[in-house]
Amino acid sequence: MKVIIAEKPSVGRELAKVFGANTRKDGYIEGKGYSFTWAFGHLLQLAPPQEYGYYGWRKTNLPMLPQKFKLSIRKVKTKDGFIEDPGVRKQLDIIQKLFDEASEIIVATDAGREGELIFRYIYSYLKCKKPFKRLWISSQTDEAIKEGFRNLKPGSDYDTLFSSAHCRSVSDWLVGMNATQALSLSAGGKDVLSLGRVQTPTLAMICARYLEIKNFVPKIYYQIAIQVDKDGQLFKALSTDSFDTKEAGEELFAKVKDVASGFVTGAHIVDVEAKPRKEPPPLLHDLSSLQQEANKKYGYTADQTLGLLQNLYESKLVTYPRTGSRYIGDDIFATVPQLISSLLEHPAFGKHAGNLQEAKLTKRSVNAKKVTDHHAILITGVKPSHLGKDHQAVYDLVAGRMLEAFHQECIKEITKITVESEILFIANGTVIRSAGWRSVFNDTEDDKKDEDNAALPKVKKGEELPLADKVLLEKQTKPKAMYNEASLLKALETCGKDIEDEELRDAMKDSGLGTPATRAAIIETLLTREYIIREKRNLVPTTKGLAVYEVVKDKQIAQAELTGQWEKRLEEIRSGASVQQFKAEILDYTRNITQELLAAGISLSQKTKQEDHVNADIAETEINPK
């Protein structure tokens, strides 16, 4: 009998259905010579400190550095404290029985780092020695599942993936357990102040941005705006110079020769630049970019988007969601015309799908060398039916981005007119000559957000035109915007560096904070710990979060780039780098941060007891986006 183990019951049932197995048992399904069983996500975790002899929270125990890590059954909280989850114990016993009877074990947990860890921990805990094979698929469609079973991989092919996952698990335990106890004890021991390898630098980014905004002092400055008349079509231009004082602005403002001042021609066209610009289509979505888009367009949290996407994946409508790649290989590209055809009857995308059938597809997102464990997120070609509003919205983001990514360039004409009227003024405008990929969602806001003219009239260098109006504008400098989930996810990819170029940002992902699959959970953890709150769409630190930040901001544990380097090291282990060297370095790091936090000698007990977790002035502060 062959035993197939999935990550959760819904996937196990779907696999059984594909094989025609339908005899339901307690904890598994049988039929056609197969038994299909499942985990419930992580059944096992690294054992807590007391199982290594570290009882109570004592400075003398720190740092806690177990010689060998043990596995422990997942716990649930009861009125008597934490106990083994009885459902997990029962399922492990069922899996043990099936493994003992198996002629072959096939691993069908999610094809990624965490999915591999879930199975390997079960396999190790049950002391199973039987060889196993690995199902590695990027889609849950029947054909993809069947094709995957025809091409099972030796389990040993994924040993380095497990090593990377286990090192991540161990490093999170070492840093989280030791740092949390060290800070909590340093603060007086009355409150649990949770810290984590990725959680803490993420909190530091949010707090630093908040304090930067709170302490920002706006600077008042002045600019002159004019309206130039070209045969009845008015266009706006702004002075190239700004003025620190109103008096300086008023002095020059009075000299500008407009119609009201009695001048027929007050604007001299100094220069006209009209340059065509080709804007390439965006890359396909990975999980992080899709979460950002869903947050900007619909206000979905990162966790909500992941949940909706996972549902679509299990319903066979989209490919593997937890991918960090925005590229596909030539083999997948060969299926794209068929995927596009599946959208011909889509109410919003049907016309675009029809146009693309006749066009040469752009291959910007096609690069097999940049595909990691899974390619970018695509639809599968299975037509959805009766989707709820939220599921449809996320499905359409995937489908629409696929059409955008293989569409033609957007061709624009960027016009810049330099006008002289005592001083120099600039008028900018953009005209889209061929919308290309931008026609899919008809979204041009990003292009025109800083422009005063949607289009500019045809003018010639040397022309003298009437100046219809002038105004002295009082402006003020503005701080950066507060982090929301979209901007935070983007910042986590590059450890807070402001990088707009999507390909350069994509190249830095290996050294970002966390992974696309874990960032939603990081945000939710900070919310659960009451370190941050959601205020409308912004992520705002609480008093408790700010108090913790004040203690750790100069410590190694809060340094985003340093933590990003650990993430890069974990990816290198996936490629065969030394596990022992990584473990030695993480042990040294743990010793250092533990001593740093124990030596802090501060007390946060009164601050963390406060009922109000938000600074009183947060609600009164108006945050102006940059």
Side-chain angles (χ1 to χ4, degrees), residues 183-226:
L183 180 61
S184 300
L185 289 168
S186 181
K190 294 181 180 179
D191 297 286
V192 175
L193 302 174
S194 170
L195 298 181
R197 184 180 62 89
V198 181
Q199 167 193 324
T200 302
T202 303
L203 173 64
M205 286 171 57
I206 295 170
C207 290
R209 173 65 62 86
Y210 167 76
L211 291 172
E212 180 184 348
I213 294 166
K214 182 183 176 185
N215 298 325
F216 181 81
V217 179
K219 180 182 177 184
I220 303 296
Y221 67 98
Y222 299 85
Q223 265 187 302
I224 301 172
I226 58 173

Side-chain angles (χ1 to χ4, degrees), residues 408-472:
Q408 304 308 304
E409 296 169 321
C410 174
I411 300 174
K412 309 171 183 177
E413 186 176 84
I414 311 295
T415 303
K416 177 182 175 183
I417 301 174
T418 305
V419 182
E420 184 178 20
S421 183
E422 194 65 32
I423 58 174
L424 292 180
F425 296 82
I426 297 292
N428 292 306
T430 300
V431 177
I432 293 181
R433 297 303 182 191
S434 175
W437 67 269
R438 281 202 174 274
S439 65
V440 176
F441 284 109
N442 198 28
D443 181 8
T444 58
E445 290 181 8
D446 287 348
D447 297 288
K448 298 185 179 180
K449 63 184 179 181
D450 295 323
E451 295 181 0
D452 295 305
N453 305 286
L456 289 168
K458 293 290 183 183
V459 298
K460 295 179 181 178
K461 181 178 178 180
E463 272 193 271
E464 300 287 340
L465 297 173
L467 206 166
D469 196 11
K470 63 179 181 178
V471 63
L472 182 64

Side-chain angles (χ1 to χ4, degrees), residues 183 186-193 211 214 529-531 541-553 601-616:
L183 180 61
S186 181
K190 294 181 180 179
D191 297 286
V192 175
L193 302 174
L211 291 172
K214 182 183 176 185
R529 304 289 188 202
E530 297 183 335
Y531 286 166
T542 63
T543 299
K544 182 179 181 182
L546 287 167
V548 170
Y549 170 68
E550 283 301 317
V551 177
V552 302
K553 64 183 180 182
I602 48 83
S603 175
L604 301 174
S605 56
Q606 294 200 354
K607 288 183 181 180
T608 55
K609 280 182 181 178
Q610 293 179 22
E611 292 278 330
D612 180 10
H613 291 293
V614 188
N615 281 355

